[in-house]
Amino acid sequence: MSESQFSGAVSYPTVNFPAADPTVAIVDGDGCVLCNGRTETSVSGLFDTRFGIEGDYESRRCRDCGLEQLFPIPSPSELKDLYERYYNFSGERGTLYTILREWFFSSPLYRLWIRVDEDISFHTCKGTGRLLDIGCNEGRTLKNYARNGFQAEGTELNETAAAVAREAGFRVFTGPLDDFAAALPYDVAVLSNVLEHSLDPKAMLVSVRRLLNHTGQVWISCPNSQSWLRSVFGRRWINWHVPFHITHFSAAALKNLLQHSGFSQIEIRQITPALWAASSIVSRMFARPGKPTRYLRNPFLIFGLLLLCRTLLFPLFYWGNRRGHGDCLVAVATRMD
Ligand SMILES: [Zn+2]
């Protein structure tokens, strides 16, 4: 990541991550996953707007550090089951949507598109070092990183997805990041829309730091809890993504977490991808509790809305990104020794 790509980064105020206080009473196990502080409801009545998973959820904000988190948080075994049963529409393949998506992501049109819409997955970053894509899924993005010059490898919890990436020629570790011992350190670790899925984001970043060389970087993208689209779409904001998104960061909370996990030279910028705005519109129009929102997989509707959002809403996108209310946080930080 060149510095020029982060010239729009702005400074954020420091918020405190107090040490866990053993005297603080935690009600129903809802203490902050970062600082163990007390949490209070910020949004109630959340439901799964994508796959139709039953359940009533809340977002709770930590009074101490400001992090927002899901309530109730599923257990690790419940989450494993939910990912295997539902995620990516149960591993949907061979449909018109997935075929067109595959074509689009490997076409020059995609590279042109991310020049316009901006790059939340670091697909335009060129380099030559060792890169670890954490949560690499079926390896689609590994192909981009390899094409850009990196020696790309991945980690993936889903064995089926990891097998597909291995078939494409990539080394992929399956298992918890804590258990991963790489033969050589990495120059870059990518957490593209992954950190917010973690039950323990600090432990994840500490593991990432361990895997990096002494000047290695972590590249992160995740939804912004201060997004203006959240205010517009309310409970149907696509990035609530219950029950899979466990935490929601503001830029300040993300910066503090990185500092407390041993990273420095932290730069954070904001992007509002047209796809995310289009998905929130579809969720607002069609999502119903207990029912999968199939329109999220309608390529014509999504593509039409994408173009509409990008062409008509760009002043709002620009304003939101500059004022700290973009939909996506994009961070680059360097390991601090
Ligand atoms: Zn907290």
Side-chain angles (χ1 to χ4, degrees), residues 57 72-86 199 243-244:
Y57 294 88
I73 297 177
S75 69
S77 62
E78 286 169 336
L79 273 175
K80 183 172 187 297
D81 179 55
L82 289 167
Y83 275 109
E84 287 173 0
R85 285 171 62 196
Y86 294 102
L199 289 165
F244 297 104

Side-chain angles (χ1 to χ4, degrees), residues 17 32-37 62-67:
F17 274 137
C32 172
V33 298
L34 286 183
C35 76
N36 207 27
C62 174
R63 289 182 185 178
D64 294 326
C65 76
L67 183 85

Side-chain angles (χ1 to χ4, degrees), residues 127-323:
T128 53
R130 281 169 52 75
L131 179 149
L132 182 67
D133 183 18
I134 296 160
C136 69
N137 210 298
E138 296 176 350
R140 278 197 306 275
T141 53
L142 287 172
K143 291 176 189 167
N144 275 304
Y145 301 133
R147 193 183 298 129
N148 288 345
F150 291 103
Q151 301 164 54
E153 299 178 358
T155 73
E156 174 55 52
L157 288 171
N158 182 327
E159 290 279 0
T160 313
V164 177
R166 287 194 194 104
E167 277 170 30
F170 295 103
R171 289 166 68 99
V172 178
F173 171 78
T174 45
L177 207 55
D178 279 356
D179 296 345
F180 181 38
L184 290 167
Y186 292 93
D187 300 286
V188 176
V190 181
L191 289 166
S192 176
N193 296 296
V194 166
L195 192 64
E196 67 276 18
H197 289 255
S198 172
L199 289 165
D200 190 342
K202 183 165 184 194
M204 175 173 265
L205 285 177
V206 169
S207 289
V208 166
R209 184 184 178 281
R210 173 179 60 80
L211 292 164
L212 289 171
N213 70 33
H214 293 294
T215 56
Q217 287 189 329
V218 61
W219 299 350
I220 298 171
S221 56
C222 64
N224 178 12
S225 67
Q226 309 296 305
S227 169
W228 67 274
L229 292 169
R230 164 185 171 163
S231 308
V232 169
F233 291 102
R235 295 183 177 92
R236 287 181 165 82
W237 181 44
I238 199 69
N239 282 316
W240 289 123
H241 196 9
V242 301
F244 297 104
H245 282 184
I246 309 298
T247 51
H248 290 279
F249 295 91
S250 63
L254 181 60
K255 182 178 179 183
N256 274 268
L257 174 61
L258 281 162
Q259 285 171 334
H260 281 76
S261 308
F263 289 91
S264 63
Q265 298 174 40
I266 300 160
E267 292 182 69
I268 301 177
R269 63 198 286 258
Q270 304 197 4
I271 293 174
T272 301
L275 175 63
W276 292 14
S279 300
S280 282
I281 293 171
V282 173
S283 168
R284 177 70 189 81
M285 291 169 70
F286 300 109
R288 301 289 178 268
K291 299 205 182 322
T293 308
R294 284 278 157 205
Y295 282 106
L296 286 169
R297 295 301 229 219
N298 182 316
F300 305 107
L301 178 64
I302 290 291
F303 190 65
L305 285 172
L306 264 183
L307 290 180
L308 212 60
C309 289
R310 182 35 67 195
T311 50
L312 296 183
L313 299 182
F314 74 90
L316 280 172
F317 287 5
Y318 180 81
W319 168 84
N321 297 342
R322 302 298 293 185
R323 301 292 294 178

Side-chain angles (χ1 to χ4, degrees), residues 21-40:
D21 179 353
T23 64
V24 171
I26 303 303
V27 181
D28 299 331
D30 65 340
C32 172
V33 298
L34 286 183
C35 76
N36 207 27
R38 272 182 170 278
T39 61
E40 56 194 7

